[in-house]
Amino acid sequence: AQRVTQPEKLLSVFKGAPVELKCNYSYSGSPELFWYVQYSRQRLQLLLRHISRESIKGFTADLNKGETSFHLKKPFAQEEDSAMYYCALLRAGNMLTFGGGTRLMVKP
Amino acid sequence: DTGVSQDPRHKITKRGQNVTFRCDPISEHNRLYWYRQTLGQGPEFLTYFQNEAQLEKSRLLSDRFSAERPKGSFSTLEIQRTEQGDSAMYLCASSLWETGTYEQYFGPGTRLTVT
C-alpha cells in the first residue's frame, strides 16, 4: 500500500538557517512525488514536483529511490517560508496520498 | 475564473442532520476530487470524477456519503445522518487530465462541525 510519512510535526529554525523537511514514502510502482504548501489563511497549493526538477522559492527536492525519500531543502530560510508543508504521492487515477504535514516556523 | 470555489465555507450542524457541500472547479478542468482533512492530519482522498463519471471511491467514504457531478461541471458532496466523527475540513480539487499533467488545484475547503 502507498504511504507517505513526514516524521516531524513541527520544525523551527532561525531566519537564514538551512531547512530540511523530511518525507519518506512507500509505493510499489514508480513514484511521482510532490510538495504542497499552505500559507496562513490560504489554500493548499503546489510548491514543486520531482519530475520537473526545478527550484521554487529557493526550495529543491530530490527523489532518492534507494532511501525512498523526497526531502525538501532550502539553504537559507526566510520568514515568509513559515507555513504547513505536505509531501504527496501520486497514484493511479491522479489521486494524491498526503503525509501528515510539517509546520515550518522561521523565527526572526 | 479565480480558481476552485467551495460553498459554504463553514457549516455547523447537529448530529443526525444531512448536509450538502458544493464545489465549482476551474472551468476547463475535467477531473474533480474530494478530500477530507482532520485536525493535525494531511488531506485524505475520498472520491474523484472524470467529467460526470465517478471513477473511484475510498473506503473512507461510507454509505452515508454520496457525491455527484451531474453535468461534468460543479460537484456536490452530501453527508446523511451526520456523526461527530464527520467533523473535518472537506477539500475539493480539480485538474485538467492530459498526458503529463498532474497538478491539482485546491479550493478553500468547507469546514464542517457536527455538534
Side-chain angles (χ1 to χ4, degrees), chain A residues 3-45:
Chain A
R3 184 179 301 167
V4 178
T5 303
Q6 295 179 249
E8 302 143 327
K9 285 288 188 185
L10 173 66
L11 184 62
S12 182
V13 301
F14 285 102
K15 177 182 173 181
V19 170
E20 183 178 50
L21 300 166
K22 291 183 167 52
C23 171
N24 289 91
Y25 68 89
S26 62
Y27 186 60
S28 56
S30 182
E32 298 284 351
L33 286 150
F34 304 80
W35 278 97
Y36 277 79
V37 61
Q38 188 166 27
Y39 300 103
S40 179
R41 302 184 187 279
Q42 295 187 26
R43 61 187 67 190
L44 199 59
Q45 59 186 282

Side-chain angles (χ1 to χ4, degrees), chain A residues 9 34 36 43-44 46 49 51 86 90-91 93-96 98-100, chain B residues 4 31 33 35 37 40 42-43 45 48 56 95 97 102-104 106 108:
Chain A
K9 285 288 188 185
F34 304 80
Y36 277 79
R43 61 187 67 190
L44 199 59
L46 179 66
R49 69 199 78 180
I51 56 172
Y86 295 96
L90 188 76
R91 58 186 179 94
N94 203 21
M95 292 163 284
L96 294 169
F98 286 88
Chain B
V4 178
R31 285 202 171 180
Y33 307 81
Y35 292 85
Q37 185 174 22
F45 168 78
Y48 88 98
E56 185 162 336
S95 70
W97 177 247
Y102 302 113
E103 183 168 357
Q104 294 184 21
F106 282 81

Side-chain angles (χ1 to χ4, degrees), chain B residues 59-110:
Chain B
R59 286 172 293 176
L60 293 175
L61 214 63
S62 77
D63 292 344
R64 297 184 297 105
F65 288 70
S66 62
E68 295 183 342
R69 194 183 183 198
K71 297 182 180 179
S73 57
F74 73 92
S75 175
T76 58
L77 177 68
E78 181 183 15
I79 309 174
Q80 296 182 327
R81 305 180 303 282
T82 52
E83 302 172 356
Q84 287 188 322
D86 297 331
S87 295
M89 178 74 85
Y90 289 84
L91 296 170
C92 176
S94 70
S95 70
L96 178 62
W97 177 247
E98 295 178 335
T99 302
T101 302
Y102 302 113
E103 183 168 357
Q104 294 184 21
Y105 294 81
F106 282 81
T110 294

Side-chain angles (χ1 to χ4, degrees), chain A residues 79-97:
Chain A
E79 289 182 68
E80 55 265 31
D81 296 329
S82 296
M84 280 296 297
Y85 290 81
Y86 295 96
C87 182
L89 172 69
L90 188 76
R91 58 186 179 94
N94 203 21
M95 292 163 284
L96 294 169
T97 297

Side-chain angles (χ1 to χ4, degrees), chain A residues 50-64:
Chain A
H50 93 270
I51 56 172
S52 59
R53 302 184 65 82
E54 57 195 346
S55 173
I56 303 293
K57 299 184 179 183
F59 285 97
T60 59
D62 290 319
L63 177 61
N64 186 323

